[in-house]
């Protein structure tokens, strides 16, 4: 629910309460904590596997925010990402995707990820995923930017046809 906390802090309370916010996480304890932090009626949380969003049928969203979720080893990245765009993003919707670019090891921040069969961290997997998302969204007529450091943030907004 950290993203919701930022939204709640940035918006006037009447504007915040007019939004319909949905959070999904596989961890029931994380969802229980989020429900405690956000008791508002306009916020709904589901403890659910995002590999099976179809059974949840959450509808379409004007904004999808996913921070550090899509790189989980339990997910099939490309099909899940395409499904989010095709099935759950409203036609004029926007996305914010946070790709973790670091991890903590023995109190030290290490950039990149340690791929299998490498004795050190490197960034090719991260770059491949970011590039895939960028190209995919550009083909769907989105304006895409990539910024960040500890996390790389890909933001995508629909290019107006006017």
């Amino acid at each position: 629910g950290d993203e919701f906390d930022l939204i709640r802090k940035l918006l006037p309370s009447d504007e915040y309460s007019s939004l319909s916010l949905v959070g999904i996480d596989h961890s029931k304890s994380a969802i229980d904590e989020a429900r405690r932090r956000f008791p508002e009626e306009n916020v709904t949380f589901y403890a659910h596997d995002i590999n099976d969003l179809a059974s949840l049928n959450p509808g379409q969203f004007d904004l999808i925010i996913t921070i550090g979720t899509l790189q989980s080893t339990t997910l099939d990245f490309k099909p899940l990402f395409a499904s989010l765009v095709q099935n759950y993003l409203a036609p004029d919707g926007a996305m914010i995707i946070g790709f973790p670019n670091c991890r903590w090891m023995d109190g030290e921040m290490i950039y990149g990820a340690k791929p299998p069969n490498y004795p050190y961290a490197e960034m090719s997997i991260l770059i491949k995923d970011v590039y895939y998302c960028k190209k995919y969204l550009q083909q769907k007529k989105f304006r895409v930017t990539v910024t960040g450091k500890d996390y790389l943030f890909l933001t995508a907004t629909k290019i107006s046809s006017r």
Side-chain angles (χ1 to χ4, degrees):
D2 290 338
E3 296 86 357
F4 293 175
D5 191 39
L6 180 61
I7 293 167
R8 184 169 55 187
K9 287 176 181 172
L10 290 175
L11 295 178
S13 61
D14 59 328
E15 192 173 341
Y16 170 77
S17 62
S18 72
L19 298 175
S20 176
L21 303 171
V22 175
I24 302 168
D25 195 295
H26 74 284
S27 169
K28 184 173 177 350
S29 62
I31 291 297
D32 289 343
E33 174 64 16
R35 285 181 180 139
R36 186 194 63 72
R37 289 178 61 199
F38 300 93
E40 300 93 351
E41 290 183 16
N42 64 319
V43 182
T44 306
F45 291 101
Y46 298 99
H48 195 81
D49 181 356
I50 66 170
N51 284 306
D52 185 29
L53 281 178
S55 70
L56 185 60
N57 193 20
Q60 289 193 321
F61 300 93
D62 295 321
L63 175 63
I64 293 176
I65 302 173
T66 174
I67 309 293
T69 302
L70 299 180
Q71 286 64 53
S72 170
T73 58
T74 62
L75 303 176
D76 195 358
F77 175 75
K78 289 179 181 180
L80 176 60
F81 175 75
S83 175
L84 288 174
V85 174
Q86 293 171 15
N87 300 317
Y88 305 106
L89 187 61
D92 288 327
M95 295 188 85
I96 300 172
I97 306 168
F99 296 87
N101 187 33
C102 66
R103 58 198 166 90
W104 288 93
M105 292 189 62
D106 300 324
E108 180 183 0
M109 184 182 289
I110 307 293
Y111 285 97
K114 185 184 173 306
N117 304 321
Y118 276 73
Y120 52 86
E122 65 100 33
M123 296 174 57
S124 64
I125 294 171
L126 170 74
I127 291 167
K128 180 184 72 148
D129 289 348
V130 171
Y131 184 74
Y132 172 80
C133 292
K134 181 175 176 150
K135 293 304 287 181
Y136 184 91
L137 289 162
Q138 286 174 328
Q139 291 171 353
K140 301 274 185 198
K141 307 293 187 230
F142 283 84
R143 179 173 290 108
V144 181
T145 61
V146 179
T147 59
K149 181 179 174 184
D150 299 341
Y151 272 77
L152 297 184
F153 289 98
L154 183 146
T155 57
T157 54
K158 198 70 170 179
I159 297 172
S160 175
S161 60
R162 295 178 231 170

